[in-house]
Amino acid sequence: MLPALWFPGRPGGRGWRRHRRGTGQEVGARRRRVGLGRPRGSATRRGRETPGPAGIIMVPPVPAETMAEEEGPAIELRQRKKPKSSENKESVKEEKIDDTPVPERAPKHVLFQRFAKIFIGCLAAVTSGMMYALYLSAYHERKFWFSNRQELEREITFQGDSAIYYSYYKDMLKAPSFERGVYELTHNNKTVSLKTINAMQQMSLYPELIASVLYQATGSNEIIEPVYFYIGIVFGLQGIYVTALFVTSWLMSGTWLAGMLTVAWFIINRVDTTRIEYSIPLRENWALPYFACQVAALTGYLKSNLNTYGERFCYLLMSASTYMFMMMWEYSHYLLFLQAISLFLLDSFSLEQSDKVHEVYKIYIFSLFLGYLLQFENSALLVSPLLSLVVALMLIKCLQLNVKKGIVAKIMKAINFYLACTLTVTLNIIMKTFVPHKENGHMLKFLEVKFGLNITKNFTMNWLLCQESLQAPSQEFFLRLTQSSLLPFYILVLIICFLSMMQVIFRRINRESLKETVTLEDGRIGERPEITYHVIHTILLGSLAMIIEGLKYLWTPYVCMLAAFGVCSPELWMTLFKWLRLRTVHPILLALILSMAVPTIIGLSLWKEFFPRLMTELTELQEFYDPDTVELMTWIKRQAPVAAVFAGSPQLMGAIKLCTGWMVTSLPFYNDDDLLKRNENIYQIYSKRSAEDIYKILTSYKANYLIIEDAICNEVGTMRGCRVKDLLDIANGHVVCEEGDKLTYSKYGRFCHEVKINYSPYVNYFTRVYWNRSYFVYKINTVISFQS
């Protein structure tokens, strides 16, 4: 029963209320329940209470004005005695809201500390990116003596496929209009003989398109040369790359000191973190900065304590960077496929809210279909494993929503992995059956040969297997990472985070609830979803990097980030101390000390050992000297007809296309079956084939000039069986493996040697018109001159 309510009136009559006298605490509690409680010893408007007869407390009458103010709460209490069923929840909700303590505003000095920390961290992140971009620019200038070179010598520094990318940038600048330039890229018949290609789609020329538009729209043609503008954009993107890694490590550790250590390790190990020094226009140099921004946004998005505005910002940044990454690199969807697998495992173990993970899946689908439309209906995106996996996971999500409870839900949870794998493979097969595509089938064949599932004598497959970037990492790679102290700390951090993650998984299996907020004292770093995602992702990338060395450029930057986060995170040290049951020293204090002391010691040692080397590289003036190639390009521009077609190695053809603009027979690309076949046929000039066979091959592609490279013809390879001429002999059946790899008898000598002797029948087919120490140029005779 609620206590009797009082109303105004005379003492002891109507309006008075009676209470049984109790203890002081009981009386105070009853008074507080009806809104009459007051601090002990304080005065009230009703005056003092006077004890009445028989131990009854007498309360004097209250004025009408005071009664009007307090009548509302009294009536409300009377109505809450028997609320209606429909209003019950609302009243309970109001009580909970009223009982919720209002958060106090942080003191001004605390707000100032937070602002200073964020400001200094952002300033350090931006400064690190800018300094790295300036460092790359200065190093590039010193290495090639770029500003003191002529335009032709500058362009020669772009090798192989990089030369092709930059050549299309030049073509866009020469186009009379933007529309005409785009049309010439999409209907290009001036690059490869007898072939019209959509260079925009086939070679992913969106970076060159954007760079040319920016160069002309900003009026930079009156300020800076095109080549400096181009490489400046790439160096700027590398600065963004470093800034994104800085922010990612900062978000994970909570201190910008981790970001500084990430940048230091990245620059010191730049030989293994980036290929920007060797090939500036590579697609990965344009694309990976966007992927780093996407990973930073995803890291913030997965954090449990993120507010609404921060979550929206991370979602928008993640959407934009995912799409840009997909547009810049044709192999981007494979890397996003690994990321989707990591998120799927994160969701499967219920380590994060499923809604967030499935929002990321929606970003994948949106980016894939938008990329499909804007990349001229690129069917490779529709048949990509990323789309099949995401669609399969969305279907599985729908099935789980329909069976939330009961034994069926448990069975669905148990066979989640099986359903995901089965549906992904099934959907991918269906898409490849009904969608016409030209996916990189040679990549699957390469992987079969790489893992020993198949044996082939195909020249292209064996040539790819011999490339250093497609082999297993060398011992020097691990030695370099160990000397910079990166690898040992990465292994330590990875082991601690992985074991903590496994503990969380076992708790989930045993149906133990996870804490909403993990504190430092808990020592459970594996409960943080962003940490779990990075652990799974780095394990997947590292597994691939252990097989193919070229993938180390995807893995090593995140090794720097993860190692720096770990040594600067007090939570990681606290997790380790929880396992060790440290009691001699307070674990929290020791964790805080180590999180500051260890990165400081690492930073000082790196500064002492590697900073002088970096300064020496900037002060040491080098020079790119290749006079033979310069002479060859100069002769072609002066002596060769404009309509001439040149044949030679694909790498040299890329330089000819850039420096002269002449048409070629092949290109250094391996994503098209026709180009692969052309490359293999043109390489026959270094095989043991007859002059007539070579002549037929060259004339079938309408070639007018043939260039023999002495470096390939007289190659002395360090790896046995990986020279071009050896691979050609294997493909043509001129090597008997059972007899100790001895050459069999052939009535034809090696063409590149025989054609230099100038005797019949070679002189009937080919006429030497130019030569120097490295190159021999032969004019391919017409049929009429051959018959004479």
Side-chain angles (χ1 to χ4, degrees):
M1 292 291 295
L2 291 174
L5 301 177
W6 57 269
F7 295 94
R10 64 182 184 276
R14 184 180 180 185
W16 287 77
R17 61 176 180 173
R18 297 173 179 269
H19 286 290
R20 289 186 301 273
R21 180 178 298 273
T23 63
Q25 294 181 353
E26 293 177 353
V27 173
R30 287 195 294 268
R31 291 169 59 83
R32 283 193 294 271
R33 281 199 296 269
V34 296
L36 298 178
R38 58 183 175 86
R40 182 175 298 178
S42 62
T44 63
R45 287 175 294 183
R46 302 188 185 93
R48 297 184 177 272
E49 300 172 348
T50 58
I56 298 176
I57 299 176
M58 309 297 294
V59 182
V62 182
E65 310 88 84
T66 308
M67 182 60 204
E69 294 178 0
E70 299 184 0
E71 188 174 358
I75 296 174
E76 182 181 358
L77 287 173
R78 180 179 295 170
Q79 290 176 348
R80 287 183 182 178
K81 184 176 181 180
K82 293 182 179 180
K84 296 181 180 179
S85 59
S86 60
E87 299 176 353
N88 190 17
K89 293 183 179 180
E90 295 180 1
S91 61
V92 172
K93 184 177 181 180
E94 291 177 358
E95 290 179 357
K96 289 183 178 180
I97 294 176
D98 295 337
D99 294 341
T100 303
V102 179
E104 298 181 358
R105 294 187 62 182
K108 291 184 178 180
H109 68 277
V110 175
L111 294 176
F112 177 77
Q113 290 178 355
R114 293 177 183 175
F115 174 78
K117 179 181 178 181
I118 295 175
F119 176 77
I120 295 175
C122 293
L123 182 63
V126 175
T127 303
S128 299
M130 294 178 61
M131 294 299 294
Y132 179 64
L134 293 175
Y135 167 78
L136 289 177
S137 179
Y139 180 76
H140 182 264
E141 171 65 26
R142 288 289 181 176
K143 182 177 180 180
F144 296 102
W145 206 11
F146 212 66
S147 60
N148 294 277
R149 293 295 178 185
Q150 299 178 358
E151 183 179 3
L152 179 60
E153 295 176 323
R154 293 174 182 172
E155 293 175 351
I156 290 176
T157 60
F158 299 110
Q159 302 289 327
D161 52 351
S162 298
I164 296 295
Y165 295 135
Y166 185 75
S167 69
Y168 287 114
Y169 168 71
K170 286 179 56 180
D171 293 343
M172 281 295 299
L173 296 180
K174 294 178 181 177
S177 64
F178 174 77
E179 293 78 8
R180 183 62 185 175
V182 174
Y183 179 82
E184 290 179 354
L185 289 181
T186 55
H187 302 80
N188 187 275
N189 57 0
K190 298 180 180 179
T191 300
V192 183
S193 61
L194 302 178
K195 188 176 179 65
T196 300
I197 59 176
N198 185 346
M200 181 71 70
Q201 175 186 355
Q202 190 167 346
M203 302 177 189
S204 300
L205 297 179
Y206 294 93
E208 284 67 33
L209 180 65
I210 296 174
S212 62
V213 171
L214 291 176
Y215 183 74
Q216 294 175 338
T218 57
S220 301
N221 50 351
E222 301 177 357
I223 303 174
I224 190 174
E225 298 181 43
V227 64
Y228 281 107
F229 185 82
Y230 184 88
I231 64 177
I233 292 180
V234 181
F235 291 158
L237 286 175
Q238 296 304 304
I240 295 176
Y241 192 2
V242 166
T243 301
L245 294 175
F246 184 109
V247 173
T248 305
S249 185
W250 182 13
L251 288 173
M252 296 171 64
S253 63
T255 172
W256 52 265
L257 185 63
M260 297 293 293
L261 186 57
T262 300
V263 175
W265 265 328
F266 182 90
I267 297 176
I268 291 172
N269 297 279
R270 69 184 187 281
V271 177
D272 301 306
T273 55
T274 177
R275 288 197 287 182
I276 189 68
E277 298 179 7
Y278 310 103
S279 302
I280 294 177
L282 285 180
R283 302 299 85 179
E284 61 189 61
N285 293 334
W286 285 87
L288 289 181
Y290 293 103
F291 182 67
C293 293
Q294 191 255 14
V295 171
L298 179 60
T299 303
Y301 186 70
L302 292 177
K303 291 178 71 69
S304 302
N305 56 349
L306 191 66
N307 56 38
T308 304
Y309 295 103
E311 188 173 313
R312 290 178 181 176
F313 173 78
C314 291
Y315 184 83
L316 293 176
L317 177 60
M318 185 165 43
S319 303
S321 55
T322 300
Y323 172 70
M324 291 299 297
F325 176 57
M326 195 169 293
M327 294 292 289
M328 293 294 171
W329 197 17
E330 59 181 327
Y331 300 115
S332 58
H333 56 89
Y334 292 110
L335 187 54
L336 293 176
F337 173 68
L338 294 179
Q339 187 182 74
I341 293 177
S342 304
L343 293 174
F344 164 63
L345 295 176
L346 179 66
D347 185 27
S348 298
F349 297 130
S350 299
L351 300 178
E352 174 58 8
Q353 298 176 2
S354 298
D355 295 338
K356 284 189 176 182
V357 175
H358 284 269
E359 287 297 324
V360 181
Y361 293 160
K362 294 177 182 179
I363 293 177
Y364 292 152
I365 295 178
F366 173 77
S367 300
L368 283 170
F369 280 102
L370 188 60
Y372 169 77
L373 295 177
L374 297 183
Q375 291 183 7
F376 307 94
E377 298 182 356
N378 186 7
S379 58
L381 297 179
L382 295 182
V383 299
S384 65
L386 174 64
L387 181 60
S388 301
L389 175 63
V390 171
V391 173
L393 295 178
M394 298 292 281
L395 292 176
I396 293 174
K397 178 69 174 179
C398 295
L399 293 176
Q400 290 179 341
L401 288 176
N402 294 330
V403 284
K404 293 182 179 180
K405 299 180 180 180
I407 188 64
V408 180
K410 298 179 180 180
I411 296 176
M412 291 295 296
K413 191 70 175 179
I415 63 175
N416 200 3
F417 288 97
Y418 175 77
L419 284 176
C421 296
T422 305
L423 285 177
T424 301
V425 175
T426 304
L427 290 174
N428 194 254
I429 293 174
I430 293 174
M431 294 297 292
K432 290 182 177 180
T433 303
F434 293 97
V435 177
H437 67 283
K438 293 182 179 179
E439 195 191 10
N440 302 319
H442 64 281
M443 292 183 58
L444 298 178
K445 297 179 182 178
F446 166 77
L447 294 176
E448 290 179 359
V449 179
K450 175 72 176 178
F451 294 114
L453 302 177
N454 194 3
I455 300 176
T456 181
K457 293 184 178 181
N458 182 268
F459 168 78
T460 303
M461 291 294 105
N462 291 327
W463 184 81
L464 291 174
L465 287 171
C466 287
Q467 299 303 304
E468 183 178 356
S469 60
L470 297 179
Q471 296 179 3
S474 59
Q475 294 182 356
E476 289 77 11
F477 166 64
F478 299 103
L479 182 62
R480 289 191 297 267
L481 297 186
T482 304
Q483 289 176 345
S484 63
S485 70
L486 174 60
L487 190 60
F489 283 105
Y490 167 74
I491 295 176
L492 173 64
V493 172
L494 182 62
I495 290 176
I496 295 176
C497 292
F498 179 78
L499 293 179
S500 180
M501 181 187 73
M502 296 304 297
Q503 282 186 337
V504 175
I505 293 174
F506 284 124
R507 291 192 186 103
R508 295 299 298 178
I509 294 176
N510 295 330
R511 298 187 178 278
E512 295 182 16
S513 60
L514 300 179
K515 299 183 64 175
E516 294 183 0
T517 57
V518 181
T519 61
L520 178 61
E521 297 180 359
D522 297 329
R524 296 182 180 181
I525 196 169
E527 288 191 8
R528 294 172 54 186
E530 68 273 18
I531 304 299
T532 304
Y533 156 72
H534 280 288
V535 169
I536 299 174
H537 199 189
T538 191
I539 290 175
L540 294 178
L541 288 176
S543 302
L544 294 178
M546 296 302 102
I547 301 173
I548 300 177
E549 186 176 7
L551 297 178
K552 69 181 181 181
Y553 300 107
L554 305 176
W555 177 62
T556 313
Y558 298 101
V559 170
C560 301
M561 180 267 298
L562 196 66
F565 137 74
V567 297
C568 297
S569 175
E571 194 173 355
L572 182 132
W573 295 109
M574 191 63 192
T575 303
L576 179 61
F577 296 153
K578 280 286 185 178
W579 294 342
L580 299 178
R581 297 181 180 179
L582 185 66
R583 296 179 180 177
T584 56
V585 184
H586 198 283
I588 297 180
L589 178 61
L590 185 59
L592 293 173
I593 293 175
L594 288 180
S595 64
M596 296 292 293
V598 173
T600 302
I601 295 173
I602 295 174
L604 292 176
S605 62
L606 294 178
W607 178 277
K608 181 179 180 180
E609 182 176 357
F610 293 97
F611 183 75
R613 301 183 188 179
L614 298 178
M615 293 298 100
T616 303
E617 291 176 350
L618 294 180
T619 56
E620 196 174 63
L621 183 61
Q622 305 180 34
E623 183 178 359
F624 182 78
Y625 186 69
D626 191 2
D628 294 340
T629 305
V630 173
E631 292 175 3
L632 173 64
M633 301 303 168
T634 303
W635 180 87
I636 292 175
K637 296 175 69 173
R638 293 177 179 177
Q639 302 296 329
V642 178
V645 179
F646 284 83
S649 66
Q651 287 73 22
L652 181 60
M653 294 301 100
I656 290 177
K657 174 63 177 66
L658 169 60
C659 299
T660 66
W662 264 245
M663 194 176 294
V664 295
T665 57
S666 59
L667 292 176
F669 290 98
Y670 305 95
N671 57 357
D672 182 78
D673 293 335
D674 182 65
L675 289 178
L676 287 173
K677 190 64 178 177
R678 283 173 177 254
N679 294 341
E680 183 176 353
N681 291 336
I682 298 300
Y683 265 127
Q684 295 297 325
I685 60 179
Y686 301 105
S687 67
K688 300 176 68 176
R689 301 281 293 271
S690 65
E692 184 179 2
D693 291 343
I694 301 299
Y695 180 81
K696 290 180 179 180
I697 292 174
L698 296 176
T699 54
S700 66
Y701 297 122
K702 301 298 180 181
N704 304 114
Y705 291 90
L706 170 64
I707 302 178
I708 300 291
E709 298 178 61
D710 201 50
I712 299 178
C713 188
N714 299 320
E715 182 181 5
V716 181
T718 57
M719 185 176 298
R720 185 182 181 185
C722 280
R723 297 180 300 180
V724 171
K725 52 187 178 181
D726 295 337
L727 298 175
L728 290 168
D729 292 338
I730 294 175
N732 297 332
H734 296 156
V735 173
V736 180
C737 299
E738 291 79 9
E739 298 180 6
D741 295 346
K742 296 180 180 179
L743 294 177
T744 60
Y745 172 78
S746 175
K747 59 181 179 180
Y748 304 112
R750 198 167 300 279
F751 175 82
C752 62
H753 290 308
E754 300 296 328
V755 73
K756 298 176 183 178
I757 303 177
N758 289 330
Y759 67 88
S760 181
Y762 296 93
V763 294
N764 297 329
Y765 295 101
F766 309 97
T767 302
R768 187 165 62 187
V769 293
Y770 173 80
W771 72 94
N772 57 28
R773 293 177 301 176
S774 302
Y775 304 101
F776 295 83
V777 182
Y778 295 88
K779 186 178 185 302
I780 302 173
N781 299 330
T782 61
V783 177
I784 297 177
S785 63
F786 167 72
Q787 291 178 347
S788 62

